[in-house]
Amino acid sequence: MKRYSGLVVSLVVLGSIMVSIFASSNSSHAEATTKSAGSFFDVKSNFWAKSSIDYAVSKGYLKGVGNGLFKPDAPVTRAELAAVLSRVSINTENQVNGEFPDLAGHWSKDEVNRAAALGFFKPIDFPNGFKPTQKLTRTEMAKWMVHGLAAHDADFGQALKDTADTLVPVAEYYKGGLNKLDYPIVSVALGTGLMTGYPDGTFGTGKTTTRAEVAAILMRYESIQTKAANSYRDLNEMRALATQGTNLEIITPYVIDPVKKFTNILNKKISTRNNIGTLKLKRMVVVDYNKSKQMKGVYAPLFVDKTVTGSDEYFYTFSEVSFTPNVDKLEENTFVNGSSLNIASSMGIRAPEAQRKYGILSIEPEWYPSIFKKGIESTFWVGYWIKRNNDPKSNSIEGDIYTIDGGFTTIISIPRESKKI
């Protein structure tokens, strides 16, 4: 059957044959009545994905299921998404090693093979068979699409490597449900805007994917595959946090000295006053949260909420630290004033709504007896700030960041740079 775009096509279908809604033009399935964009009875004018569905249908990426229906909330199978991706991709086909033995005679065989040749997945990824009728999870969909981007642009592949151990801004990161192997997959999907999370902060890793969601994501994928990986600020933040130890350069006008790198002080012993314990800085997140309570930065929702006062004078910093006390019954002021490295030895986050949503562990005075035990290491987040506009006569942030490790001093200078943010 020839594929039409943007035309209302009325087809008479004989019998009650159930067909694949994603089947290609050479599919062995008979196709049900195919509605063109804007004419599905079950996609109302106020449906959240109507424009995306209309677009996907007009481009020939998706079809209706017959009887004037689109079934936007129906789940998507592996075979169906593979067929769609084989149509939308601009990748170059490459030789594929291996095959999918359980696709013999299946309508999707040619399109699944083409999707593999385009780089979305490999036969080796499915040791137990492709299982074409298996419903697709959001994580699996993200994996296929992100690998498709990486097959087209090497920098997307580098982004996957860069975010292998980053902080992923979803609730499953701390609360559980996100496999570490999927950190880079979800990071690239979120960082490019290919996929978004849910209002409760979750990514929905194990949830199945609906036809409406696929339509919306296809529009984004079509655009993203023509752009550079480094053109996405959110993704750049996540890459920088993993490779530099901080997203400071992405969010603020400051830049880190290329010689006196921020990574020089990560996981190094930081001197504490009165030898109260061993303090180490693991990473630092910078958030732009102004007085009007407007957030900037992919990590902002994790650390600030409406209970936090915004500032036009400071950028907020949040540092993940590990601390091993040398004493019991440590008091808050003793820890807060325990080091001259203010970004590491400071108060807790104090953003209860954000903490409940994302599960980030901070410190509260009432928790001290339980988490500050002599000889026991604890990892948590603390909050501080840096000036938005530093002294123009100064070449660095007030109070250069430094640490002392065995008598060796590392000075981290962060000079101003005239650039737009």
Side-chain angles (χ1 to χ4, degrees), residues 3 37 81 158 166-167 245 332:
R3 182 182 299 137
L81 185 65
Q158 184 61 48
T166 196
L167 169 61
E332 181 178 26

Side-chain angles (χ1 to χ4, degrees), residues 197-371:
Y198 291 94
D200 63 357
T202 63
F203 181 75
T205 53
K207 290 185 177 180
T208 55
T209 303
T210 69
R211 285 169 49 75
E213 289 173 330
V214 168
I217 293 169
L218 280 178
M219 286 186 66
R220 301 171 200 156
Y221 185 89
E222 189 180 48
S223 173
I224 294 167
Q225 69 179 340
T226 65
K227 298 179 181 178
N230 62 11
S231 66
Y232 294 95
R233 190 197 66 197
D234 287 355
L235 180 56
N236 290 339
E237 275 194 74
M238 288 185 270
R239 295 175 73 171
L241 187 62
T243 59
Q244 300 177 27
T246 179
N247 63 334
L248 180 139
E249 290 187 315
I250 312 299
I251 294 297
T252 78
Y254 298 105
V255 293
I256 299 172
D257 188 295
V259 176
K260 303 167 184 176
K261 299 178 181 179
F262 192 82
T263 51
N264 289 355
I265 67 172
L266 298 182
N267 296 307
K268 300 287 183 64
K269 179 181 178 181
I270 298 171
S271 178
T272 55
R273 297 185 176 96
N274 300 321
N275 193 31
I276 62 171
T278 300
L279 180 65
K280 295 179 182 179
L281 174 64
K282 304 182 78 66
R283 51 190 168 186
M284 180 180 78
V285 170
V286 182
V287 168
D288 184 345
Y289 184 60
N290 65 25
K291 196 171 183 179
S292 298
K293 295 193 173 182
Q294 295 175 322
M295 298 181 184
K296 179 181 177 181
V298 70
Y299 292 116
L302 278 68
F303 296 98
V304 296
D305 55 40
K306 65 183 181 181
T307 68
V308 178
T309 302
S311 174
D312 292 336
E313 185 177 358
Y314 299 99
F315 293 109
Y316 287 111
T317 69
F318 301 94
S319 298
E320 187 177 32
V321 301
S322 66
F323 183 66
T324 306
N326 290 332
V327 295
D328 278 321
K329 299 181 180 179
L330 196 67
E331 295 182 357
E332 181 178 26
N333 287 339
T334 304
F335 173 77
V336 169
N337 298 308
S339 170
S340 56
L341 182 57
N342 292 327
I343 61 168
S345 181
S346 189
M347 304 283 286
I349 295 176
R350 309 294 199 267
E353 293 180 4
Q355 289 174 253
R356 281 195 295 270
K357 179 181 286 189
Y358 292 97
I360 290 180
L361 177 64
S362 186
I363 52 173
E364 300 290 346
E366 60 269 23
W367 297 353
Y368 278 41
S370 61
I371 69 172

Side-chain angles (χ1 to χ4, degrees), residues 55 61 81 84-92 115 118-121 141-153 156 188-189 192-195 213-227 232:
Y55 179 79
Y61 299 149
L81 185 65
V84 170
L85 294 179
S86 72
R87 299 167 192 166
V88 72
S89 177
I90 59 174
N91 291 7
T92 300
L118 292 168
F120 290 103
F121 45 74
M141 180 170 68
K143 184 176 182 179
W144 289 12
M145 290 189 168
V146 167
H147 283 173
L149 293 173
H152 179 68
D153 180 353
F156 276 110
V188 174
T192 58
L194 176 63
M195 298 176 71
E213 289 173 330
V214 168
I217 293 169
L218 280 178
M219 286 186 66
R220 301 171 200 156
Y221 185 89
E222 189 180 48
S223 173
I224 294 167
Q225 69 179 340
T226 65
K227 298 179 181 178
Y232 294 95

